[in-house]
Amino acid sequence: MVIAPAHRAVDFAPRLEKLLREHRDDGLFRLEPDTVGIADPELMDAVLRARPANAEERPTFKPVLGRRVTRAESASLMQALGADVRAALKRPVEHPDLTGAWPAVPHDHLRRFVFGPETRRFRVLVDRRLELTPKLTWSAVAAGAALARPPAPDAELSTLARQVLAAETLAERRFRMYLYRRVAAPICFTVAALVTNAVWLGAPFDDDVPNEWVINEALRLLPPSWNILRVRSPEFAEVDARITPGDDVLLLPLLSHRSPRLWEAPAEFRPRRWAELDADRHPGYLPFGHVSERCWGRHLVLPLASRLLDVVRAEGLVPDPRRTRARVELDGLLELADVRMVSRRRRERR
């Protein structure tokens, strides 16, 4: 459990709670007969340096429809997404009404903020409901690809959407639309989860605490990507004899981010600690993966999260004081579910 201001608490799904309770101080331990968990910073570093991630271990750019996503294709997608994020961040800061159920509310706001008034076939690909089952995603991709038409010259489309519509065949368009989902949705998911977590853990924030510290500390206590999987490989047995050639390896920032050996008061939300710490070099701190293979979206997530925190602070957004507990489920992202946000400033204006 994590204790946040005003007695706000974080409850974890049973399997996560068990990990924290039984293995927080363990460096290497057996999770399953064929899976080893690692939270020791030096071992994590050694395993991640032992070999680069393979195609199946790249969450965003895993093979699609049996087709491998090349480095050139992934780079092109990220360049397009980066152009859309940079264009959005150049616009003047607005103060939309973001009260309501988080992370759903900021997710929808971010979709509009980054990608603008896309056509419905693209908007649906960023919808949170597609996470319910892969069949929904495939249906949305197939329908969108079949109905897509070349855009009008003056159409308001993101750079990412225009890249999809430039495909010359239905198969290529379907492939690109699926990748649109793979890069557009995670940006919204990750930033919405990160800022939801930060607000629950620490709002209202002191004026002299910069967004960077708030974000770093939220990423420490509730890293959206809380584990890194490496499938069995002979290189890992050479790193440590306790890892057999048949073992998959699960690296756990969830644990290393809370180790008493690495952090003072590890369960407390203390953004001021980052005045003295280096987020790129602190042992065991891997919110965006290892230095050898940083998450593709790091330089997009951080400025978007900071912009969203600007709105949070300007509008005085805080969790509804009537609720004192929030839960983290065992999903892909480590995010607090259904946190109701209210605005102190909007209430004062009334």
Side-chain angles (χ1 to χ4, degrees):
M1 185 174 72
V2 176
I3 302 299
H7 308 293
R8 295 196 294 267
V10 176
D11 296 327
F12 291 91
R15 288 181 63 187
L16 293 172
E17 182 63 40
K18 183 179 180 181
L19 267 177
L20 289 166
R21 183 178 65 251
E22 297 182 359
H23 298 294
R24 189 182 65 157
D25 297 326
D26 294 344
L28 183 148
F29 52 94
R30 189 155 293 280
L31 276 168
E32 303 286 350
D34 61 352
T35 305
V36 167
I38 297 180
D40 176 80
E42 292 184 2
L43 272 178
M44 293 168 80
D45 181 75
V47 166
L48 290 169
R49 289 184 186 279
R51 68 161 173 80
N54 64 35
E56 293 291 341
E57 294 166 345
R58 300 165 64 207
T60 302
F61 297 116
K62 286 192 222 180
V64 177
L65 293 172
R67 172 176 163 181
R68 185 172 180 176
V69 182
T70 67
R71 292 284 180 179
E73 287 168 333
S74 59
S76 178
L77 284 162
M78 293 312 303
Q79 289 169 1
L81 180 59
D84 291 327
V85 170
R86 288 191 297 273
L89 291 170
K90 288 178 181 178
R91 294 196 290 270
V93 176
E94 298 178 347
H95 298 284
D97 182 1
L98 297 182
T99 56
W102 283 43
V105 167
H107 178 99
D108 290 340
H109 164 71
L110 288 161
R111 185 201 61 74
R112 294 189 299 270
F113 178 68
V114 176
F115 303 106
E118 303 272 51
T119 58
R120 187 175 183 278
R121 65 182 65 93
F122 288 107
R123 292 200 306 272
V124 73
L125 295 179
V126 190
D127 197 301
R128 294 176 67 87
R129 290 170 292 185
L130 293 192
E131 292 295 296
L132 294 174
T133 169
K135 290 182 179 180
L136 287 175
T137 301
W138 285 117
S139 297
V141 167
L147 296 172
R149 297 291 182 272
D154 58 347
E156 293 188 63
L157 286 174
S158 67
T159 305
L160 196 59
R162 289 188 179 278
Q163 189 177 91
V164 172
L165 294 175
E168 296 182 354
T169 68
L170 176 60
E172 180 66 20
R173 190 159 57 246
R174 188 170 61 232
F175 175 75
R176 294 190 189 186
M177 288 198 84
Y178 194 87
L179 290 176
Y180 178 103
R181 164 74 182 176
R182 285 264 193 96
V183 299
I187 277 287
C188 299
F189 274 114
T190 304
V191 176
L194 169 54
V195 179
T196 299
N197 296 345
V199 176
W200 178 266
L201 291 169
F205 307 109
D206 292 337
D207 291 341
D208 63 338
V209 174
N211 288 345
E212 180 184 359
W213 297 358
V214 171
I215 291 168
N216 286 344
E217 187 69 347
L219 286 168
R220 185 183 70 82
L221 284 171
L222 292 172
S225 297
W226 59 274
N227 68 79
I228 303 169
L229 176 65
R230 289 292 180 266
V231 297
R232 61 200 63 182
S233 187
E235 294 92 341
F236 302 151
E238 297 175 8
V239 170
D240 192 294
R242 292 171 292 178
I243 307 173
T244 75
D247 283 334
D248 292 336
V249 178
L250 194 66
L251 305 150
L252 292 159
L254 174 69
L255 301 183
S256 65
H257 285 195
R258 296 160 180 273
S259 171
R261 297 192 301 272
L262 301 173
W263 310 92
E264 181 182 350
E268 295 182 16
F269 183 79
R270 293 187 178 182
R272 293 182 188 276
R273 75 175 80 229
W274 293 98
E276 306 295 333
L277 301 179
D278 185 337
D280 289 325
R281 291 185 171 82
H282 195 283
Y285 186 65
L286 302 171
F288 292 102
H290 190 253
V291 64
S292 63
E293 289 184 311
R294 291 287 192 212
C295 169
W296 56 265
R298 178 189 185 203
H299 296 298
L300 306 180
V301 166
L302 294 178
L304 285 172
S306 186
R307 173 64 74 92
L308 187 54
L309 271 175
D310 286 340
V311 177
V312 166
R313 300 176 91 153
E315 293 298 304
L317 287 171
V318 294
D320 189 327
R322 294 172 295 182
R323 184 172 177 183
T324 60
R325 309 191 77 86
R327 184 173 175 81
V328 173
E329 300 295 347
L330 187 59
D331 294 325
L333 288 177
L334 209 61
E335 68 175 10
L336 293 162
D338 194 23
V339 175
R340 182 165 184 79
M341 297 293 179
V342 297
S343 172
R344 296 181 302 162
R345 302 278 168 81
R346 288 181 182 271
R347 287 183 175 180
E348 291 168 1
R349 292 181 197 132
R350 293 173 187 168

